[in-house]
Amino acid sequence: MNQQPHSQHVPFAAHLIERRDLSEDTALFRIAPDEGALAQLFSFVPGQFVQLSVPGAGEIPISPADLPTPEGTLELCVRRVGHVTELLHELQPGATLGLRGPFGSGFPLKEMAGRPVLLLAGGLGIAPLRSLLMHLLRQRDSYGDITLMYGAKQPRLMLFREELAALAAAGGLRLYLTVDFAPETLDGGYSCAVGLLPDLLKGFRFDAATTYAAVCGPPPLYRCLVADLERAGVHAERILLSLERRMRCGIGRCCHCALGQKLCCLDGPVFRASDLKGIPEAL
Ligand SMILES: Cc1cc2nc3c(=O)[nH]c(=O)nc-3n(C[C@H](O)[C@H](O)[C@H](O)COP(=O)(O)OP(=O)(O)OC[C@H]3O[C@@H](n4cnc5c(N)ncnc54)[C@H](O)[C@@H]3O)c2cc1C
Ligand code: FES
């Protein structure tokens, strides 16, 4: 990546345009980065992350939920889990934020061209995969079959469900949804299984010899899905995992995000399963 030192170390200003609640603890924040940041952001590749700073709270890594719009706004889907995200959720439109990046490796889009893509998202893992999904659908003719399997704990925690159902209804996307359990009625005109995400893979017929799989979700999911995908015949080089580690600098200086000899912020956050073999703590 060819970045000026300024943009790597010092955040550019950005402003919160609007927030939309997606569930009880997760919201979609639309932000408008200042001109300096925008020039960098247009190089964003799905899977990369930005360092978002909330003044007075701190800085956190977030993978944008879509590519920047032509008007220059960026969508970040953020769950309220702790200090910085709590404060972010309290901000009103117009609030000033800071932005560095994009950083890290994204999905290998050129290599994936022409191939079927299977996206597997668990819980909040849909956020980083949404930017990949939107890219694939906008360039629909450049890829083979596109399938999204998305699992959430409960229907009310399923993010973007109307949007995903509309995308599937428009054609070009095969969508399989599942929830761990369904205490409330499943409304919204889409069908949804009850079970775990790996259950959706069982019996799923696809061209494993050419398919690229992109996985993002809670840590226990990775080991299970990688084993299932490999058993189905997907080569570990074509299993792409978007990993999360605690980060500080985001640019390879502090080693907070070390995974064996690799750094999540530089070598990842998107890794091939084949690159993680021999690093037991990675999955
Ligand atoms: C590359 C990358 C992309 C990410 N993308 C998103 C995204 O799109 N949306 C989103 O909501 N979150 C995302 N995260 C996670 C997000 O960075 C953390 O939730 C955030 O840093 C928590 O900050 P906090 O101050 O609110 O919480 P803290 O007060 O720091 O911690 C609260 C809880 O969250 C856990 N936690 C904190 N940071 C992380 C982390 N990096 N990974 C796992 N657990 C963590 C802590 O162990 C603790 O249990 C991403 C993380 C990485 C590394
Ligand atoms: S976050 Fe500092 S080296 Fe990765």
Side-chain angles (χ1 to χ4, degrees):
M1 220 182 324
N2 183 19
Q3 284 188 325
Q4 300 300 315
H6 174 84
S7 66
Q8 288 210 328
H9 297 273
V10 183
F12 283 101
H15 290 90
L16 178 59
I17 304 290
E18 66 174 6
R19 59 160 286 166
R20 175 162 65 91
D21 285 330
L22 299 176
S23 75
E24 58 207 30
D25 61 3
T26 305
L28 191 66
F29 295 87
R30 195 155 63 84
I31 64 172
D34 281 3
E35 247 174 53
L38 257 187
Q40 304 289 337
L41 278 172
F42 280 125
S43 70
F44 169 74
V45 175
Q48 287 190 299
F49 68 96
V50 294
Q51 288 283 68
L52 176 74
S53 40
V54 179
E59 195 180 44
I60 54 172
I62 297 291
S63 294
D66 199 351
L67 281 81
T69 63
E71 302 76 45
T73 62
L74 191 66
E75 286 183 335
L76 305 174
C77 170
V78 184
R79 177 167 290 168
R80 200 175 57 224
V81 294
H83 183 59
V84 178
T85 49
E86 284 281 357
L87 281 169
L88 174 67
H89 273 250
E90 281 168 19
L91 294 181
Q92 299 299 319
T96 302
L97 298 159
L99 205 64
R100 295 191 289 137
F103 296 131
S105 65
F107 290 97
L109 300 176
K110 279 192 187 146
E111 196 187 304
M112 294 160 75
R115 305 296 189 92
V117 184
L118 170 60
L119 299 96
L120 294 150
L124 189 59
I126 189 69
L129 289 189
R130 181 173 173 260
S131 62
L132 174 62
L133 176 67
M134 294 315 228
H135 165 82
L136 297 175
L137 293 177
R138 286 186 195 117
Q139 311 283 325
R140 187 65 198 85
D141 293 344
S142 305
Y143 296 90
D145 286 345
I146 300 172
T147 307
L148 170 65
M149 295 183 175
Y150 173 31
K153 278 191 185 141
Q154 298 181 34
R156 67 190 164 84
L157 299 179
M158 189 162 270
L159 310 174
F160 304 110
R161 53 185 179 176
E162 285 83 12
E163 175 187 292
L164 293 173
L167 288 171
L173 167 68
R174 290 191 293 181
L175 177 66
Y176 299 89
L177 303 174
T178 188
V179 288
D180 295 359
F181 65 107
E184 72 260 21
T185 323
L186 294 170
D187 53 4
Y190 54 90
S191 64
C192 178
V194 178
L196 299 176
L197 183 56
D199 296 340
L200 290 180
L201 256 187
K202 289 184 190 134
F204 176 63
R205 291 179 168 275
F206 67 111
D207 181 7
T210 59
T211 293
Y212 276 78
V215 183
C216 190
L221 195 68
Y222 290 95
R223 212 174 280 185
C224 173
L225 283 178
V226 169
D228 288 350
L229 287 163
E230 286 196 285
R231 237 188 325 269
V234 184
H235 195 281
E237 273 187 16
R238 280 182 281 104
I239 303 176
L240 308 166
L241 309 171
S242 173
L243 298 189
E244 268 192 26
R245 284 296 181 275
R246 276 190 166 271
M247 289 184 185
R248 282 272 167 84
C249 68
I251 51 172
R253 302 282 159 82
C254 70
C255 291
H256 252 76
C257 64
L259 280 169
Q261 298 296 309
K262 297 184 190 296
L263 293 174
C264 190
C265 68
L266 278 189
D267 303 308
V270 176
F271 291 94
R272 294 172 196 270
S274 51
D275 291 339
L276 298 177
K277 291 194 190 283
I279 311 177
E281 69 271 27
L283 300 183

